[in-house]
Amino acid sequence: MADSMSQHPHHPVLLNILQEVFGYGAFRGAQEAIIQHVTGSGDALVLMPTGGGKSLCYQIPAIARHRAGQGVTVVVSPLIALMHDQVGALEEAGVHAAFLNSTLSNEQASHVEREMMSGRLVMLYAAPERITNPRFLAQLDSLYERGLLSLFAIDEAHCVSQWGHDFRSEYLALSLLHERYPEVPRIALTATADDLTRADIIERLRLEEASVFISSFDRPNIRYAIVEKDKPREQLLRFIRDEHEDDAGVVYCQSRKKVEETADWLVSEGIKALPYHAGLDAALRQKHQDRFLREDSIVMVATVAFGMGIDKPDVRFVAHLDLPKNIESYYQETGRAGRDGEAADAWMAYGLADVVNQRRMIDESPAGEEFKQGQRGKLDALLALAEATDCRRVRLLSYFGEESKPCGNCDNCLFPPATWDGTEAARKLLSCIYRFQQNGGQRFGAGHLIDVLRGKVTDKVTQYGHQSLSTWAVGADLPETQWRAVLRQLISLGHVVTEGEYMTLVLADSARAVLKGEVQLLLRVPTVAPKRGKLSRTSKPSSGRSGSSGAPEDLDAAAQARFDQLKAWRAEVAKEHGLPAYVIFQNVTLAEMARQHPQSLDALSHISGVGAKKLEAYGAEILRVLGES
Ligand code: ADP
Ligand code: ZN
């Protein structure tokens, strides 16, 4: 196989492909190094956060190598539902690509196979199960013998690991690629891999010799905010109305039932919301996913079943109405916002019941004690993040082993929360639980406990004679919300444990140190974050990506009118081609067209996101649309 590229990295060639095919001016972060390495036949393991730009890391080498006569790149991806759109996006950019999966008719599949076997195809997307298909392997063998098997790209590489959260047994078979086609370089990519998963990927995919490229996991354009629950649905609605009117977003809930209820309720409030969970009929699920991808401003209310590979670039917010399992899940789920690099929100409402529920789910799971202990540790880290009074991003990144400075783009940085010394209150609360236990061994839940602390006479108080307890009304000075915050912290920290169906409260051994006053508790003062409003969002992420912000928010009235016209035009084209709108042009690109108002094809060609093929296909029409508005 001719391999001149390894000696002479064709750097200008690669930049030229970026500009000509994709219409982008410059590489981002590690892209250039990765693309050079892989184009020159090196193996690579790429760890890059969602939205970091992984696709180009294999697409540009695929194009460069194809142009150099090295044939077809095989892209292994588990996401059958998305292959159609991925391939559509490449064809729109003038790159000959296709996919092979179970959704094709025999006729369609043979056509793709002919294109592949002739070497005309630049990229072939295939699901991992196809790799073990003997017929397919025979085809790869033939390509290989003729020097037309160029590169393997293994997307979502964490699926090979049992430690990861999306293990797919078919991925294990991918080790055969290296054994069977030792001369063909491989690039494996993932957005989620802790140390264990990373080691697993290297071992199972036989990537011991590969260069490992690890990007920072920071997502500077995502603003993190965690609010205390107080009528969470209304809080969510206010958040959407104030800051994300007409934006696409995802709302995560824990249960199917809650997904349905929340979606119904949002719809009744005039929000375009759709439910998505594994209990829905597959066709309906697909339909909702399509609408989310193809329409502009759908709010998807979903369980975690919705997500992997949703590469819609303009998801403006991800909201959590329930606590995720751990920080990895939180980061992955929130990472689906703002892939286009524009401002996006990760918003979560969290409360006492979340802490209790998550703890209970771990306790009641059939897993072994060691595993449970691990889960508890992970949950604690997430709770610490939720209760934090300092920069959320610093905590998140440090969890992934990265050091950073306060970000200026999270709720705690923007609106530093007041703190108060809750040590005394915590002691009162713990001793009240202690009194309950003394007093007949009876156990109670949070509601009753707080009533007793605040001296609220209820039937239950009378029934149990709790007015005579020494802790009766010792906490009348604090409002209920504050007591809940104290209890939440104590449960988070493991000093109080909840038990049974009624979630009654029990002291843990560690409570003794708090009772003795040996542990100081600094708590955040419950606040409702001030309204920000869409228009007041001017603060830029501290370490944000450079370049002009194409955010449609800062268009003047005339540009806004052009933007709207362009969107309407794009919607028609997208519909005609059966593709999501962002595949034709992303919002940032349309916004830039509206802002610059180019008068010639040449001026239009300089706008980021306008490649040669799209200029040829759509240039004249865009100028016409711009001329009319
Ligand atoms: P990932 O797969 O890592 O989540 P993508 O490959 O989908 O990320 O890229 C995220 C977004 O960034 C896409 O909209 C893509 O077009 C854009 N992008 C990637 N690289 C560049 C670049 N060098 N310049 C401008 N935009 C880029
Ligand atoms: Zn911060």
Side-chain angles (χ1 to χ4, degrees):
M1 208 176 296
D3 213 354
S4 59
M5 288 196 162
S6 50
Q7 283 92 40
H8 312 284
H10 282 43
H11 176 190
V13 170
L14 302 175
L15 183 62
N16 185 44
I17 294 175
L18 178 76
Q19 293 171 340
E20 176 209 315
V21 179
F22 297 96
Y24 296 140
F27 288 113
R28 256 186 207 164
Q31 274 178 339
E32 182 169 18
I34 297 165
I35 291 169
Q36 275 195 44
H37 179 73
V38 175
T39 306
S41 294
D43 288 343
L45 172 60
V46 172
L47 285 86
M48 218 184 241
T50 310
K54 281 185 289 299
S55 321
L56 293 187
C57 294
Y58 61 84
Q59 289 171 347
I60 292 181
I63 297 166
R65 293 173 66 88
H66 189 268
R67 287 185 181 177
Q70 286 167 304
V72 185
T73 290
V74 176
V75 183
V76 181
S77 161
L79 307 165
I80 291 180
L82 299 176
M83 286 181 188
H84 173 264
D85 293 349
Q86 287 169 327
V87 161
L90 285 165
E91 290 279 346
E92 283 289 325
V95 181
H96 192 21
F99 63 86
L100 277 177
N101 66 34
S102 50
T103 67
L104 295 184
S105 68
N106 286 342
E107 208 172 311
Q108 289 169 319
S110 347
H111 176 70
V112 170
E113 284 170 3
R114 274 197 306 279
E115 289 301 293
M116 170 171 87
M117 297 314 287
S118 70
R120 277 195 294 273
L121 207 56
V122 181
M123 265 173 267
L124 176 83
Y125 283 74
E129 48 272 25
R130 192 156 292 259
I131 302 296
T132 45
N133 173 329
R135 187 176 137 77
F136 185 68
L137 280 175
Q139 289 170 330
L140 292 188
D141 290 349
S142 158
L143 282 174
Y144 186 61
E145 279 151 26
R146 291 182 285 139
L148 289 178
L149 189 53
S150 170
L151 170 70
F152 289 111
I154 302 167
D155 208 1
E156 312 287 351
H158 61 280
C159 290
V160 80
S161 170
Q162 258 138 345
W163 299 110
H165 30 76
D166 303 307
F167 175 63
R168 312 255 168 144
S169 55
E170 314 87 57
Y171 260 67
L172 294 174
L174 297 179
S175 62
L176 77 77
L177 295 178
H178 179 56
E179 286 145 28
R180 203 158 167 134
Y181 312 112
E183 304 287 313
V184 179
R186 293 165 301 147
I187 171 173
L189 311 102
T190 177
T192 47
D194 51 36
D195 291 345
L196 273 176
T197 314
R198 194 180 309 166
D200 236 16
I201 295 174
I202 292 174
E203 189 191 320
R204 298 189 174 192
L205 293 179
R206 309 284 322 279
L207 283 168
E208 290 87 355
E209 309 287 314
S211 297
V212 181
F213 297 88
I214 303 175
S215 301
S216 163
F217 270 66
D218 188 17
R219 300 288 310 281
N221 59 313
I222 297 182
R223 177 178 293 180
Y224 299 96
I226 302 177
V227 304
E228 283 159 70
K229 267 186 191 169
D230 173 29
K231 304 205 184 90
R233 272 192 194 172
E234 327 283 271
Q235 287 171 293
L236 173 70
L237 184 64
R238 211 180 318 129
F239 165 73
I240 296 178
R241 284 208 175 126
D242 289 354
E243 302 183 38
H244 291 286
E245 187 111 58
D246 293 330
D247 282 343
V250 182
V251 176
Y252 280 113
C253 303
Q254 200 166 60
S255 70
R256 296 170 182 189
K257 183 160 166 263
K258 188 154 168 191
V259 163
E260 304 261 355
E261 287 170 359
T262 308
D264 283 349
W265 185 76
L266 284 174
V267 168
S268 76
E269 293 292 330
I271 309 278
K272 271 199 277 173
L274 294 172
Y276 188 105
H277 58 71
L280 291 178
D281 172 63
L284 188 62
R285 241 172 25 222
Q286 182 66 37
K287 191 171 141 212
H288 287 181
Q289 172 167 322
D290 280 348
R291 283 194 59 193
F292 177 74
L293 293 176
R294 280 163 171 69
E295 292 176 32
D296 255 348
S297 47
I298 300 280
V299 174
M300 191 72 113
V301 186
T303 60
V304 291
F306 182 70
M308 184 166 67
I310 298 303
D311 52 3
K312 185 176 169 65
D314 54 358
V315 174
R316 293 271 68 84
F317 69 90
V318 169
H320 280 94
L321 275 187
D322 293 304
L323 201 64
K325 266 210 312 263
N326 51 43
I327 290 187
E328 285 94 334
S329 308
Y330 172 74
Y331 207 62
Q332 213 201 6
E333 285 149 27
T334 55
R336 291 172 186 140
R339 293 173 81 125
D340 54 9
E342 297 302 315
D345 276 298
W347 180 94
M348 177 161 86
Y350 125 104
L352 182 57
D354 285 299
V355 183
V356 172
N357 280 337
Q358 287 289 355
R359 283 236 182 279
R360 193 167 54 173
M361 273 167 53
I362 296 172
D363 291 342
E364 292 175 359
S365 90
E369 193 46 43
E370 201 179 331
F371 182 79
K372 286 187 186 175
Q373 214 43 51
Q375 299 294 89
R376 287 189 193 107
K378 288 187 163 202
L379 175 60
D380 288 344
L382 179 62
L383 295 175
L385 172 76
E387 299 286 358
T389 54
D390 52 2
C391 177
R392 310 267 191 205
R393 192 181 314 268
V394 166
R395 285 184 175 249
L396 279 168
L397 291 174
S398 92
Y399 184 82
F400 296 110
E402 259 182 66
E403 253 180 66
S404 63
K405 299 226 165 62
C407 71
N409 193 31
C410 73
D411 54 353
N412 286 350
C413 281
L414 290 164
F415 316 104
T419 56
W420 63 289
D421 187 341
T423 313
E424 212 30 59
R427 293 176 67 189
K428 287 178 184 166
L429 188 153
L430 293 173
S431 58
C432 192
I433 299 176
Y434 182 73
R435 296 291 159 219
F436 289 159
Q437 287 174 347
Q438 292 287 296
N439 199 29
Q442 199 69 33
R443 289 169 178 178
F444 300 90
H448 182 66
L449 171 74
I450 292 171
D451 286 345
V452 172
L453 284 166
R454 301 194 63 232
K456 185 172 165 196
V457 184
T458 65
D459 288 350
K460 210 172 196 173
V461 165
T462 321
Q463 184 190 343
Y464 289 98
H466 280 166
Q467 271 164 294
S468 62
L469 289 180
S470 60
T471 49
W472 170 252
V474 290
D477 53 328
L478 293 182
E480 190 186 321
T481 49
Q482 221 152 330
W483 278 116
R484 285 197 169 263
V486 176
L487 179 58
R488 203 174 59 223
Q489 281 265 347
L490 289 170
I491 295 176
S492 295
L493 294 169
H495 301 311
V496 175
V497 185
T498 60
E499 284 187 349
E501 191 187 344
Y502 299 106
M503 297 190 237
T504 54
L505 305 166
V506 183
L507 296 184
D509 288 344
S510 65
R512 191 164 303 150
V514 186
L515 272 168
K516 285 196 204 147
E518 289 166 8
V519 179
Q520 203 202 6
L521 274 176
L522 265 195
L523 307 183
R524 47 189 302 150
V525 175
T527 47
V528 185
K531 272 196 189 181
R532 282 177 269 159
K534 217 168 172 171
L535 294 172
S536 64
R537 283 197 76 167
T538 47
S539 75
K540 284 261 150 47
S542 60
S543 50
R545 296 186 179 118
S546 55
S548 70
S549 159
E553 271 111 279
D554 31 80
L555 296 175
D556 64 28
Q560 182 66 45
R562 290 192 286 272
F563 181 63
D564 292 340
Q565 295 278 352
L566 287 167
K567 270 171 85 170
W569 165 80
R570 178 183 66 177
E572 276 173 37
V573 178
K575 201 159 178 202
E576 227 168 80
H577 295 207
L579 288 169
Y582 67 81
V583 165
I584 309 300
F585 285 111
Q586 296 190 11
N587 281 350
V588 267
T589 302
L590 292 192
E592 206 48 39
M593 289 176 189
R595 185 178 296 109
Q596 289 187 21
H597 202 178
Q599 307 289 328
S600 68
L601 286 176
D602 183 57
L604 183 60
S605 76
H606 288 109
I607 288 172
S608 176
V610 183
K613 170 81 191 296
K614 288 186 182 176
L615 184 71
E616 189 194 314
Y618 304 124
E621 267 189 79
I622 291 169
L623 293 180
R624 181 184 58 74
V625 172
L626 284 171
E628 282 173 2
S629 49

